[in-house]
Amino acid sequence: MIGGGVQGTFVSHVLSVRLGVSRDDIRVLDPHVNPLARWQQTTDACGMRFLRSPAAHHVGIRTNELLDWTRANCPDWRREYLQPYLRPSLACWNAHAKSVIDEHRLEEMRIRGSALDIHRSDDGSFHVQTSVESIHSKRIVLATGNSQPLHYPALPVDSDLAGERIRHLFDPAFRRSDIQAGENVVIVGSGVSAAQLAIRLAGEQGCRIQVLTDGMPQLSWFDSDPGWNGPRLLSRLAAIADPEERQRMVSEARIRGSFPGDTAASLLECTILGKMTMLTGRLESVCQAGNCVHLRFNDEHLTTDRLVFATGFSTAVPAAPLVGQLSARLGLPVSSCGWPVVNQYCEWAAGVLVCGALAQLELGPVSRNISGIRSFARRLVERYNA
């Protein structure tokens, strides 16, 4: 596995438990010390309390495993879930994930490092050159997660975004605890991460919040139609042969800049109480001067103590250099934008599988979510359990 976040960790669990692959034959390559390190950093950064995903989406094997674990380990277990859709608290989800990792010793299969190059041998096996050693493998799974560059709004090329008071929410250097109580904070973004951060800062730290969006946020319980988790919509995608048409369908299916109803209610409460304002328009310039950040938004000048970009990741292919290199070397098909064209089992070539966003032409818009990695795992079991 190249990548050891939620995707790589879960796939290693499925390989060892469901497919009976020897632990000695599984390695998860990831630059972080601990499993799910990047997941924990990004969810903590935005102040997430409850997941957007339902209880069935977790790193255990059985569908109801998280719910059963909560009932057995949390005396007041109902408080760990939000309705509708029985969405678990982040604390509960993380605790269950840790129990799975510890019980099945998944951490023992990890190698700390990064993939630098991949070569195919004459016998069809692979040599993966990493930052620490060379690994020989019969098969590889690209589970690179959100490894794209951070996305910033379209700003002039000379914009100064390097100030300590200007951070991207998903920059590893960002710490919510660095923001002092009562500070003025401008958050740029229109999705659930921007909303969660605004609610936490306004509610717990007494910050005065302005949220700048490029369009009116949408109310949606999920970031795409739930039909993408099953055959209702996936069958339509599978019926399309042209990868460019598939890409358009997947892109149009994503509900960007949206958040669920409970988040919308909390935002409304903060606004009514005067803790937050939301402005829609275009961010034109940004600069830091001393302890102040100056912005131009809708031709107006704004001054704030801190600026946080909650604008997600770029729409580029994850791990683009490695994916492009592998495609060129092995002659593997990609769309015009570089996305792998895979078969129904998410195989890009014999012995090469992709999951997460890299499998979106087969798994649809949910591919990068927890539900998407579980969908990939079902196909993996179907492919290799025969």
Side-chain angles (χ1 to χ4, degrees):
M1 248 73 60
I2 297 177
V6 174
Q7 297 169 8
T9 299
F10 180 60
V11 174
S12 69
H13 186 30
V14 171
L15 286 172
S16 60
V17 174
R18 286 294 305 277
L19 291 175
V21 179
S22 169
R23 299 169 56 82
D24 294 335
D25 293 332
I26 302 172
R27 288 296 176 267
V28 180
L29 181 67
D30 190 84
H32 300 96
V33 175
N34 300 314
L36 313 188
R38 187 68 170 134
W39 159 269
Q40 291 165 353
Q41 185 264 320
T42 55
T43 53
D44 178 70
C46 66
M48 180 188 295
R49 290 185 182 278
F50 287 84
L51 273 69
R52 200 173 189 176
S53 303
H57 300 165
H58 51 77
V59 296
I61 298 296
R62 294 182 297 103
T63 300
N64 291 330
E65 186 172 320
L66 172 58
L67 189 58
D68 292 342
W69 183 91
T70 312
R71 286 170 171 155
N73 291 275
C74 303
D76 195 5
W77 67 269
R78 289 179 178 84
R79 296 178 65 88
E80 300 296 334
Y81 291 89
L82 276 186
Q83 296 289 2
Y85 304 112
L86 209 63
R87 292 171 294 136
S89 71
L90 177 64
C92 174
W93 195 96
N94 283 342
H96 170 256
K98 185 179 187 304
S99 75
V100 170
I101 292 167
D102 291 346
E103 178 183 351
H104 298 278
R105 299 166 27 230
L106 301 182
E107 196 164 352
E108 296 176 9
M109 294 185 277
R110 294 172 66 87
I111 298 174
R112 189 180 180 189
S114 302
L116 304 177
D117 200 2
I118 301 174
H119 291 271
R120 189 169 216 165
S121 303
D122 292 339
D123 63 358
S125 61
F126 298 91
H127 286 279
V128 181
Q129 185 61 47
T130 80
S131 53
V132 291
E133 62 182 289
S134 180
I135 304 172
H136 179 259
S137 178
K138 184 177 180 181
R139 297 184 181 91
I140 57 175
V141 179
L142 301 182
T144 54
N146 287 321
S147 52
Q148 311 97 308
L150 300 176
H151 172 65
Y152 293 88
L155 291 169
V157 293
D158 59 348
S159 296
D160 178 14
L161 302 179
E164 63 179 10
R165 290 180 171 270
I166 302 173
R167 294 289 189 197
H168 195 290
L169 177 62
F170 294 150
D171 184 336
F174 174 79
R175 295 288 185 275
R176 195 159 34 90
S177 58
D178 290 341
I179 300 175
Q180 302 302 307
E183 284 191 321
N184 295 303
V185 182
V186 168
I187 301 172
V188 178
S190 58
V192 67
S193 296
Q196 289 170 336
L197 177 64
I199 293 166
R200 287 298 291 268
L201 292 178
E204 292 186 0
Q205 295 175 231
C207 296
R208 294 177 293 276
I209 307 297
Q210 287 181 296
V211 181
L212 310 183
T213 74
D214 59 0
M216 287 301 295
Q218 300 183 63
L219 178 62
S220 176
W221 289 106
F222 303 108
D223 56 10
S224 63
D225 189 315
W228 285 106
N229 289 304
R232 179 167 66 85
L233 293 176
L234 284 176
S235 60
R236 299 181 191 178
L237 187 67
I240 299 172
D242 180 12
E244 309 307 322
E245 182 60 30
R246 283 196 180 201
Q247 183 61 59
R248 284 191 291 272
M249 187 177 185
V250 171
S251 297
E252 291 171 1
R254 294 197 182 97
I255 308 173
R256 294 183 174 88
S258 66
F259 39 75
D262 55 285
T263 304
S266 296
L267 282 174
L268 180 60
E269 180 182 4
C270 288
T271 302
I272 292 172
L273 294 175
K275 299 178 179 180
M276 180 191 311
T277 57
M278 298 187 71
L279 303 173
T280 301
R282 180 174 178 269
L283 180 63
E284 297 159 351
S285 66
V286 173
C287 70
Q288 179 175 333
N291 289 331
C292 293
V293 179
H294 300 278
L295 309 88
R296 283 199 67 80
F297 184 78
N298 286 351
D299 291 327
E300 294 184 10
H301 179 259
L302 302 177
T303 300
T304 187
D305 297 317
R306 295 184 187 272
L307 170 65
V308 182
F309 287 99
T311 45
F313 298 89
S314 83
T315 56
V317 175
L322 187 66
V323 171
Q325 178 190 81
L326 195 59
S327 172
R329 182 168 290 158
L330 301 183
L332 305 183
V334 294
S335 70
S336 61
C337 295
W339 294 95
V341 178
V342 300
N343 67 14
Q344 68 190 78
Y345 300 112
C346 298
E347 286 180 314
W348 198 10
V352 181
L353 297 101
V354 303
C355 62
L358 291 175
Q360 66 176 355
L361 297 186
E362 182 62 29
L363 299 180
V366 301
S367 60
R368 62 192 68 204
N369 300 341
I370 303 171
S371 60
I373 191 60
R374 294 186 70 86
S375 178
F376 168 82
R378 287 192 292 271
R379 299 183 186 215
L380 185 71
V381 171
E382 182 182 350
R383 169 68 176 84
Y384 291 102
N385 205 26

